[in-house]
Amino acid sequence: MFHQAAAAFALALLPFSLGQVSEGFEKGWDTAAWPTYAADCSQGGKVTLDSSTAYSGKNSIRVDGAGGYCGHIFFGTTKVPSGDVYVRAYIKASKALTDSHVSFITMPDSAQGSKKHLRIGGQSKILMYNRESDDATLPDLSPQGIATSTALPTGKWQCFEYHLGTDGTVETWLNGNVVAGLTAKAGVANANAAQWQRSSIKPKITAVYFGWESYGGDTNTFWYDDIAVSSARVGCNVTSS
C-alpha cells in the first residue's frame, strides 16, 4: 500500500512537459476534460459515471456499447504527447471478445489521413490493433498470428498498457506482461505482422478515446479507471488522482 501511494504521488509530480494526464474519476466525470466521442453517428451507446465498481477508489466510467457501427460511443482526451505516447488504463469487460471485429479504444490518426483511426479491440477472440486506412491488423489473423496474442479476461480489472513510438514502434502489455502479437518494432521483421509492416505509416494520434465500437452485432459493457497518458511508461502499480 505504501509503495502504491508513493508511486501515485510521484506520478502526480511529473512535469507537464512530459505530457502526462491521469484520471481516476474520484471527483466525478469532468465531461469538458473527458468528452464523449462518436464519429459520424451515435445510436444507443451510453457513457456514465459508475460508483458500483472501481479499480481504486469508488468511481469508474461505464460504457454500454450497442451493436452495429452507429451503436458506438467513446470518451477520452485530446491531451496527448507530441512524441512517444504511452497509455495505461484499467479496464473491465462484461463479455468475452468473439470472432467479430470490435474496438474498445479508438484514436484519430493524422498519419492515416482525415477521419481515420488507429483502433485497439478484438477479433477471432483475441486482442488486436486495426489501422482504418488499409484495414491492416496486428497481428495477422492467421492461426499463427492469432496464437501470438491473447484473450481479454472478463469480470475482473485488467491493466492494459501500450506504447506508440515516433518511429512506428507498437508495444503492448496486459497486466505487465508483453503481448508478443501486439508488438511491432521499427526495422525488425515480424512474421506475424505482414499486413501491418507492409505500410510505412507511423501513427501520429491526436486523441485517445475509450469505449465500444462494433462492426457487427456484438454488444458489451466496459468499465475504465485510473487512466494515464504520458510520454513515458507509467506501469501497473500507479493509481491516478
Side-chain angles (χ1 to χ4, degrees), residues 102-167:
V102 299
S103 298
F104 57 82
I105 296 175
T106 193
M107 297 161 282
D109 184 3
S110 62
Q112 295 186 57
S114 177
K115 298 183 179 180
K116 298 299 182 182
H117 299 77
L118 175 62
R119 306 184 285 209
I120 303 175
Q123 192 170 346
S124 300
K125 300 183 177 69
I126 59 155
L127 293 167
M128 72 162 195
Y129 287 79
N130 175 243
R131 192 166 53 216
E132 185 176 5
S133 59
D134 62 355
D135 205 32
T137 65
L138 177 68
D140 294 334
L141 296 180
S142 63
Q144 295 80 10
I146 290 169
T148 64
S149 185
T150 185
L152 179 65
T154 61
K156 294 183 179 180
W157 289 99
Q158 312 295 323
C159 178
F160 186 77
E161 304 174 84
Y162 63 95
H163 166 219
L164 304 176
T166 56
D167 62 356

Side-chain angles (χ1 to χ4, degrees), residues 7-238:
F9 180 72
L11 176 63
L13 293 180
L14 282 175
F16 183 75
S17 60
L18 287 179
Q20 184 267 330
V21 177
S22 64
E23 183 57 74
F25 309 106
E26 291 311 292
K27 295 181 180 180
W29 173 25
D30 183 344
T31 56
W34 295 82
T36 58
Y37 177 79
D40 303 321
C41 55
S42 181
Q43 300 172 359
K46 183 171 64 174
V47 180
T48 55
L49 182 70
D50 193 341
S51 298
S52 69
T53 183
Y55 173 73
S56 68
K58 63 179 182 179
N59 293 333
S60 65
I61 297 293
R62 172 175 172 156
V63 176
D64 293 291
Y69 175 75
C70 285
H72 62 182
I73 191 70
F74 296 88
F75 74 98
T77 178
T78 58
K79 293 182 179 180
V80 297
S82 58
D84 281 30
V85 178
Y86 288 80
V87 177
R88 192 283 313 280
Y90 282 90
I91 63 178
K92 183 168 72 169
S94 64
K95 299 178 185 177
L97 300 173
T98 70
D99 287 327
S100 296
H101 183 195
V102 299
S103 298
F104 57 82
I105 296 175
T106 193
M107 297 161 282
D109 184 3
S110 62
Q112 295 186 57
S114 177
K115 298 183 179 180
K116 298 299 182 182
H117 299 77
L118 175 62
R119 306 184 285 209
I120 303 175
Q123 192 170 346
S124 300
K125 300 183 177 69
I126 59 155
L127 293 167
M128 72 162 195
Y129 287 79
N130 175 243
R131 192 166 53 216
E132 185 176 5
S133 59
D134 62 355
D135 205 32
T137 65
L138 177 68
D140 294 334
L141 296 180
S142 63
Q144 295 80 10
I146 290 169
T148 64
S149 185
T150 185
L152 179 65
T154 61
K156 294 183 179 180
W157 289 99
Q158 312 295 323
C159 178
F160 186 77
E161 304 174 84
Y162 63 95
H163 166 219
L164 304 176
T166 56
D167 62 356
T169 290
V170 177
E171 297 179 284
T172 314
W173 302 265
L174 184 63
N175 298 320
N177 300 311
V178 172
V179 183
L182 304 185
T183 302
K185 296 188 176 183
V188 179
N190 182 340
N192 296 305
Q195 281 191 21
W196 199 259
Q197 293 186 328
R198 71 187 176 199
S199 170
S200 60
I201 292 174
K202 299 176 178 63
K204 190 173 180 60
I205 65 170
T206 57
V208 182
Y209 295 110
F210 306 87
W212 179 257
E213 187 169 84
S214 171
Y215 312 103
D218 284 13
T219 64
N220 214 326
T221 297
F222 269 66
W223 289 265
Y224 298 86
D225 197 6
D226 286 340
I227 296 171
V229 181
S230 180
S231 58
R233 188 179 175 192
V234 173
C236 290
N237 296 319
V238 180

